[in-house]
Amino acid sequence: MTPPRTSALLLKFMGSMNLAITLLVALSIAAIIGTVLQQNQPYTDYIIKFGPFWFEVFQQMALYDVYSSGWFLFILFFLVLSTSTCIYRNAPNMVREMHEYRQNIQLKTLENYSNSCHWSLTQPQEDVQYAAQQIFSHNGYSARLKQGEGYTLISGMKGGASRLGYILTHLAIVLICIGGLIDGNAILKMRQILGQIVPETRNIAASDVPEMSRLGINNPSFRGSVSIPEGRKTDVLFLNYRDGYLVQELPFSVEVKDFRIEHYDSGQPKSFESDLVIHDERLEQPLEQTISVNHPLIYDGYSIYQASFSDGGSALEMIAWPLMGGDIKNKKINTKVGDELSMSLFADPWILEPSNFRLFNINPSDEPGRKFKNSGPSVQFKMRNKTGEAKEFLNYMVPVEKEGLYYYLSGVRSSPAEDFRYLYIPVDDKGGIDRFMNYLNALGDEALLKRIVTELNFPGSALPSNSAAQLNDALIKLVGLFVEKGMEGVTEQIEKNVPSDKREEVSALYIKVLQQMLGAVYVDVLRKEGVDVSLGVDENKAQFFDDASVAIGALNRYGSPVYFQLSSFVHHQASGLQIAKAPGKYVVYPGCAMLILGVFLMFYAPQQRLWARLEPSDEGLSFVLAGHAIRNKLDFSKQYQQIRAQFNRVLTG
Amino acid sequence: MNSIQAALKQELDQQSFWKGLSLFDWVWGLIVLIGTGYAHSRYAELMDGYEKVILLSTGVSLVALGWYWKEIRWLSLAVFLLSLFGVSRYVNGLEDAGVDFFLRFLLSSQSAIMWMSALYVLATITYFLALFTRSEFTGKVAGAMTWSATTMGLVGLMVRWRESYLIGLDVGYIPVSNLYEVFILFSIITALLYLFYERRYQTRMLGGFVLLVISAAVAFLLWYAFDRNAAEIQPLVPALQSYWMKIHVPANFVGYGAFALAAMVATAYLIRVRAEGRNPHSLALALPTLDILDDLMYKSIALGFAFFTLATILGALWAAEAWGGYWSWDPKETWALIVWLNYAAWLHMRLTKGWRGKPMAVWAIVGLFVTLFAFLGVNMFLSGLHSYGEL
Ligand code: HEM
């Protein structure tokens, strides 16, 4: 008969230690892959990282979501199967062993054990027998007595629980894996393979997501997240799935009444809390509860966690300051975080996309004694031009201090991977931005520049030129060039027009002249402000001039034709909740308890056996004490020596 | 009553566990009881139910540990008195650390930890000296140094605990919450595990090897403190404010400490194996015999495995509360699993296949590197999903 033999072979294979170890190692390696390659990132990131070919290969191998890939689940499945087989094969034996006292052991075997000792005694047998039983139980051995033919055998055993430990440990592994499988997204995967669900990849409103990408309230287990602005409620969640998401419906709705961040004195965040209201038809009245990190709300088998926070559409009022020079007025605009605002700037269409508002900016401080400082509110937004390219900006509302001076800070970057580079706009004496803007505008005022060149009278100097008029024109152009393209523009111009042997000399001259022109324009701005400049300018104003000129020189790299000054806001936050349902935990948690208990039993209640054999002989009584342990032999030998010494004292002392 | 019965009665009386306890043992139990009661009466209203359970279990375990391993009583009392004295020197606030003589040179957490570091390094050298000179006495001195270092380390942590509350009542936290603090914990636990086995097996000659790994930890600690300013007390991010921390982290570090101990014993094992084959007069023969080393290696890995199992499960329960799921395949979690699977495989090889000796020793050393990666490498090289990083 072949079938039983194949099944026996299969059983042997499934329960073999080699398979078990192979599976443990394979699981480790798979787990390593999953940590080295960041999981569940947007697919575009992987394409950038690996190129289209390897992206495809890795995707086929399911490396972007190793832990729910088919092959990973396959290994796990085999581990469960192998462990189960192992239990199936060993458990009956072990249960038997737990209760078996090995009362049929031969004298030879006892004498052959390394822990064995023999006494010839003259005392009465019942006394010795009594003493042996007492000493056995005193040392924690439970004992059984057997009257053999011409001898008496006391068999003692300790640590039967270690066998129970084995069963508990291995059963626990099976339970934990099964529970984990229930809570993992294996079920979703099955449904996706069967074509029942299709992840949504478009960025659309939850209510527009088609039925194919929605999961009903009967979905047994999931873990999703949702961001709820203060004062709003939701009855759906989003589950990230492959390169898209799924919408999970809830049988109740969650409202966020208020979201709060508390801070330590040092400014670091201390707690994140949301006041939630659960609206459920089954409730007589809505359930109100505050949750925070580490203190979730458990409702109806759903766990609701404080996971993150974001802006919930803060209302922003900003002043758009033109940065192109010339006499153009600023303009107030109103928008909201998350909105898009189309506008026309200098005849070009632009889209303003505010993406985040922050009430506090706690940044490392370089002041001694203070680790952090609060730089106040900031707004983050993108400016998208007509080609669709966008630069991202981060503007602070209030001036930020740097080395004792204050600036309006505006960070800019071309991609989220970069750090922000900052534009430092100095503040004027009143703490405002007006002087800077006036100065910038004045630099675009041709009439003013003309007047200034004439007044400065450069033709009298050593500049190479044909005629005074031409020179003046060139100088005005120089200022325009500086505003438009910065110092790089000026240098470029020189390189184009001046032979290399004269370049150094000419540049020095140009820069000096430019400085003079800028200075004169600045003085004019001050004068118009009503500042008395007859005795020159003070140190503060000189510093302002330097900083402002540096900032203007950098405008060409700024990337936006306007500077948005945040003038007022109404803060709305959104609380990021994670909501999970994990029925598998009712299997996993008991499994964990069994695992801990089992492991400790296995290690710290090792099975040990003792035998005392009494046999009447010609001289009196022959007494053999033997012990055996399959584990921790060194320890057991020591213990045996002690017990032997006890017997020695009692029997011969 | 005949002679056997009399002898038996005497024997059983003498050997009884409760009768074996000395007066000091009872005093010890009483002190811990009073201390626990006092802590409870004073701080009960600030603690939640879990924390009360933790307090009670700490008291009970401390009594039991002291009865089982007598030196712990002295260690605890020394730590208790020194910490109390240290804490009492803070009168005006944290600035006392720079003014008060005792704080400045001995007991402020920074100074105590410097003492710990210095003593561990000295003990390492002394242990090796003992090995080279085969001097029992030098070995004893090294042992005393290790005990002192451990005392100072524990005092440092205790005083630091108080210091965190001096910064602000809402800042205070148990000092097992960042990499700097757990490195101290790691050194202390590894040293204690070793000291336990030293007494059990009389294996002084092994000390240098074990202390080597502690010295390495100390070197990292000092670099981290001086170069990265890590010793400064920072308030906890919200995700770490949990009673789970109080049990999860210490359990984890019993695991890490035991694995480190096993790897160093394995190193000694390999050295002795080499020496036995070649040179019958080699110094390495002063090391404990291969049987003892092998046994010790198994024991530490078993202990480490048991506690690591416990710690990982506690971590999963904590994750269920803080992150919304007991398992997220976060790199730290995943590497804990890898470490665990690795040692599970090791134990199976030894138990069911009967592997012994060299391959197991090599594997135990490899295991330390895997552990090290889980403990340090993950923080350094892999970016986690740890949601507290974002909050
Ligand atoms: C993740 C999976 C597993 C874990 C964590 C695990 C854990 C353990 C532990 C901790 C021990 C005790 C070692 C000791 O006493 O020092 C053990 C023993 C044992 N395991 Fe596993 N085990 C796993 C899977 C398996 C599988 C699949 C098999 C079957 C091939 C197996 C068979 C055994 C056997 C036969 C013993 C020895 C029991 C004894 O004689 O006391 N284990 N296991």
Side-chain angles (χ1 to χ4, degrees), chain A residues 320-384:
Chain A
W321 295 93
L323 292 178
M324 306 289 265
D327 195 18
I328 302 167
K329 289 280 164 291
N330 64 38
K331 209 172 117 187
K332 235 177 213 157
I333 58 158
N334 284 291
T335 180
K336 251 179 26 202
V337 172
D339 277 3
E340 293 183 2
L341 185 68
S342 301
M343 50 177 99
S344 171
L345 300 169
F346 303 97
D348 281 333
W350 286 85
I351 303 173
L352 170 70
E353 305 169 0
S355 55
N356 197 11
F357 169 81
R358 296 176 63 153
L359 190 55
F360 298 112
N361 281 280
I362 314 289
N363 294 326
S365 157
D366 25 272
E367 266 173 75
R370 280 183 65 198
K371 264 201 109 96
F372 293 90
K373 64 179 179 196
N374 181 2
S375 308
S378 68
V379 59
Q380 198 165 332
F381 57 90
K382 281 195 180 133
M383 283 287 281
R384 198 174 291 282

Side-chain angles (χ1 to χ4, degrees), chain B residues 227-300:
Chain B
D227 197 72
R228 296 297 172 88
N229 229 347
E232 214 161 313
I233 295 174
Q234 293 289 335
L236 291 184
V237 298
L240 295 184
Q241 300 162 6
S242 170
Y243 58 87
W244 287 108
M245 168 109 82
K246 300 182 172 82
I247 42 182
H248 169 64
V249 178
N252 234 321
F253 277 82
V254 175
Y256 287 148
F259 293 147
L261 178 64
M264 295 325 279
V265 173
T267 312
Y269 185 97
L270 292 179
I271 289 174
R272 179 155 178 143
V273 167
R274 244 176 92 98
E276 278 187 0
R278 293 185 179 178
N279 176 1
H281 305 292
S282 161
L283 261 180
L285 297 185
L287 287 169
T289 62
L290 292 181
D291 274 352
I292 290 187
L293 289 175
D294 186 72
D295 189 53
L296 197 52
M297 192 158 76
Y298 165 70
K299 284 231 171 69
S300 333

Side-chain angles (χ1 to χ4, degrees), chain B residues 209 213 258-272 297 301 342-343 346 357-373:
Chain B
F209 290 93
V213 89
F259 293 147
L261 178 64
M264 295 325 279
V265 173
T267 312
Y269 185 97
L270 292 179
I271 289 174
R272 179 155 178 143
M297 192 158 76
I301 287 188
N342 177 46
Y343 284 110
W346 192 96
K358 249 167 109 171
M360 296 310 268
V362 173
W363 193 348
I365 295 171
V366 172
L368 179 64
F369 284 96
V370 178
T371 309
L372 198 67
F373 192 83

Side-chain angles (χ1 to χ4, degrees), chain A residues 15 82-83 86 163 166 170 602-603 631, chain B residues 298 305 340 348 351:
Chain A
S82 155
T83 315
C86 206
R163 294 338 226 165
Y166 166 87
H170 293 82
M602 222 165 11
F603 290 140
R631 197 73 57 74
Chain B
Y298 165 70
F305 186 80
W340 190 73
H348 280 97
L351 281 171

Side-chain angles (χ1 to χ4, degrees), chain A residues 14-18 20-21 23-24 79 82-87 90 94 162-163 166 169-170 173 595 599 602-603 630-631, chain B residues 298 302 305 340-341 344 347-348 351-352:
Chain A
M14 285 311 303
S16 82
M17 207 60 227
N18 288 346
I21 304 237
L23 289 172
L24 293 184
L79 188 69
S82 155
T83 315
S84 311
T85 317
C86 206
I87 301 170
N90 291 329
M94 297 206 167
S162 81
R163 294 338 226 165
Y166 166 87
T169 310
H170 293 82
I173 303 289
L595 183 60
V599 165
M602 222 165 11
F603 290 140
I630 33 174
R631 197 73 57 74
Chain B
Y298 165 70
F305 186 80
W340 190 73
L341 291 173
L347 286 167
H348 280 97
L351 281 171
T352 55

Side-chain angles (χ1 to χ4, degrees), chain A residues 90-100 160 163-164 167:
Chain A
N90 291 329
N93 251 335
M94 297 206 167
V95 173
R96 200 171 328 117
E97 247 186 282
M98 270 165 67
H99 301 292
E100 211 191 74
R163 294 338 226 165
L164 183 65
I167 297 173

